[in-house]
Amino acid sequence: MVTLGFLIPLEAKLGKEAEVESFLREALPLAEAEPATTAWFAIRMSSSLYAIVDFFPDEPGREAHLQGEIAKALTERAPDLFEKPPNIIKIQVIAAKLPD
C-alpha cells in the first residue's frame, strides 16, 4: 500500500528539453533499485514542463529515496538543466489503484 509520495515539478531550460528527458529516463533504473519506491513516474506536461512523481509505503521509504541516488543526481544536474531548483513537494495518498 502506498501512503506517501513526492511531486517534483521541473521546468527545463530553453534548449535543454532533450537532456532533461534523457536524464529522467536514466533515473528509472535507480528508482527500480530502491525497494521502498513502490511507483515512480517521470512525466512531461508541456514542451518544457516535466515532473517526477513517486510513491512509498511509509516515511522511512520516502526518506530513503530522498537520500538516494536520484536525489543526488537531481541536485547535481539541476543548475544546468532546470530554470529553478527543484521544488520537492511532499504528498499524501488518499486513494490508489496499483497492479497486484
Side-chain angles (χ1 to χ4, degrees):
M1 182 168 138
V2 295
T3 60
L4 303 171
F6 290 119
L7 169 62
I8 308 165
L10 304 164
E11 184 177 356
K13 287 185 175 180
L14 185 61
K16 296 285 187 170
E17 297 85 357
E19 287 182 60
V20 167
E21 289 189 25
S22 178
F23 169 77
L24 293 172
R25 283 188 186 96
E26 291 168 6
L28 178 58
L30 301 174
E32 291 173 332
E34 296 177 348
T37 301
T38 304
W40 184 92
F41 301 91
I43 61 172
R44 181 176 55 213
M45 298 180 283
S46 71
S47 62
S48 64
L49 189 57
Y50 299 83
I52 297 171
V53 188
D54 36 22
F55 300 95
F56 314 93
D58 52 29
E59 188 59 41
R62 181 163 69 174
E63 187 59 33
H65 179 73
L66 196 56
Q67 302 303 318
E69 295 303 314
I70 297 172
K72 290 176 189 172
L74 188 60
T75 300
E76 182 179 301
R77 300 283 313 274
D80 181 50
L81 296 177
F82 306 115
E83 286 293 333
K84 50 190 164 191
N87 178 22
I88 301 172
I89 303 166
K90 289 184 173 183
I91 58 176
Q92 294 182 332
V93 176
I94 296 169
K97 182 205 179 294
L98 296 170
D100 294 332

